[in-house]
Amino acid sequence: MPSRWRGPTDRGPVSTQWRRWQYRKDLALALAARPGARDHFDAYSPSARKGVLGWIALAKRPETRARRVSLAADVAERGDRPATLWQRVD
């Protein structure tokens, strides 16, 4: 193989892209305001945290982002799985 060949393993770990969706101040404050929410949120699997952070980060309007932050913190406070964020309540 030529030395300039770059295979998939030469690009580094695939999961590093989630770091652009790190905790923002509003999520950190919402989790801190609810007892036990941060502990439950940190207990989620890395892929679940990535999903929640990405879901919040993809909100286009500030109102939508604030609603998603509040909902994610409420779910974490209850100790529910993050999949409950995507279930419709009618």
Side-chain angles (χ1 to χ4, degrees), residues 11-12 19-20 31 35 44-45 50-51 54 57 59 62-63 67-68 72 79 83 85-86 89:
R11 294 185 192 132
R19 291 185 181 151
R20 64 187 167 114
L31 291 173
Y44 291 163
S45 67
K50 176 183 161 185
E63 301 85 21
R67 188 176 68 243
R68 289 180 181 185
L85 291 170
W86 295 276
V89 180

Side-chain angles (χ1 to χ4, degrees), residues 55-65 68:
W55 178 63
I56 292 170
L58 292 175
K60 293 181 180 179
R61 296 184 308 159
E63 301 85 21
T64 304
R65 181 180 172 83
R68 289 180 181 185

Side-chain angles (χ1 to χ4, degrees), residues 1-86:
M1 269 181 238
S3 62
R4 65 179 186 267
W5 183 81
R6 290 186 53 125
T9 58
D10 296 335
R11 294 185 192 132
V14 176
S15 63
T16 58
Q17 197 167 13
W18 74 272
R19 291 185 181 151
R20 64 187 167 114
W21 294 330
Q22 290 177 353
Y23 297 105
R24 297 283 174 95
K25 186 180 277 190
D26 54 354
L27 179 60
L29 290 174
L31 291 173
R34 292 165 174 83
R38 181 63 187 248
D39 293 331
H40 287 292
F41 190 83
D42 289 339
Y44 291 163
S45 67
S47 61
R49 283 194 307 267
K50 176 183 161 185
V52 173
L53 294 173
W55 178 63
I56 292 170
L58 292 175
K60 293 181 180 179
R61 296 184 308 159
E63 301 85 21
T64 304
R65 181 180 172 83
R67 188 176 68 243
R68 289 180 181 185
V69 165
S70 177
L71 185 58
D74 288 341
V75 167
E77 181 184 20
R78 290 192 310 260
D80 289 343
R81 297 178 318 137
T84 59
L85 291 170
W86 295 276

